[in-house]
Amino acid sequence: MAVAHGTDRDLVRAHKAAIDEHLREISMPFSYTNVFWGGRSEIKPSEIAPAAYAEWCRSTGLDPDSMRDE
């Protein structure tokens, strides 16, 4: 997940486009990106897929268990 904060809509959209392009260049799959304006946006626990993240970590050679708090 990436978060960019800003007050210039065009600049934030340019950063979002750069992030999306980078993900494509490194072949990291994603299905959704968005820009939120105003208010407060929070990710709900139901939107997080821990198993998918752990699988991605393993596919890149990272041990997801090594990132857990002890």
Side-chain angles (χ1 to χ4, degrees):
M1 173 173 57
V3 177
H5 296 271
T7 57
D8 182 317
R9 289 180 183 226
D10 291 335
L11 184 59
V12 171
R13 286 186 183 115
H15 281 286
K16 177 196 175 300
I19 292 167
D20 291 351
E21 181 58 25
H22 174 71
L23 294 175
R24 284 186 202 95
E25 286 175 359
I26 65 170
S27 299
M28 180 178 288
F30 61 95
S31 60
Y32 177 77
T33 65
N34 202 353
V35 174
F36 296 99
W37 297 109
R40 184 174 176 163
S41 177
E42 295 182 8
I43 293 177
K44 299 171 191 70
S46 62
E47 297 173 326
I48 300 170
Y53 177 71
E55 181 181 327
W56 175 82
C57 285
R58 285 189 284 278
S59 76
T60 62
L62 297 172
D63 177 8
D65 293 328
S66 69
M67 293 181 268
R68 297 183 187 276
D69 287 338
E70 291 186 30

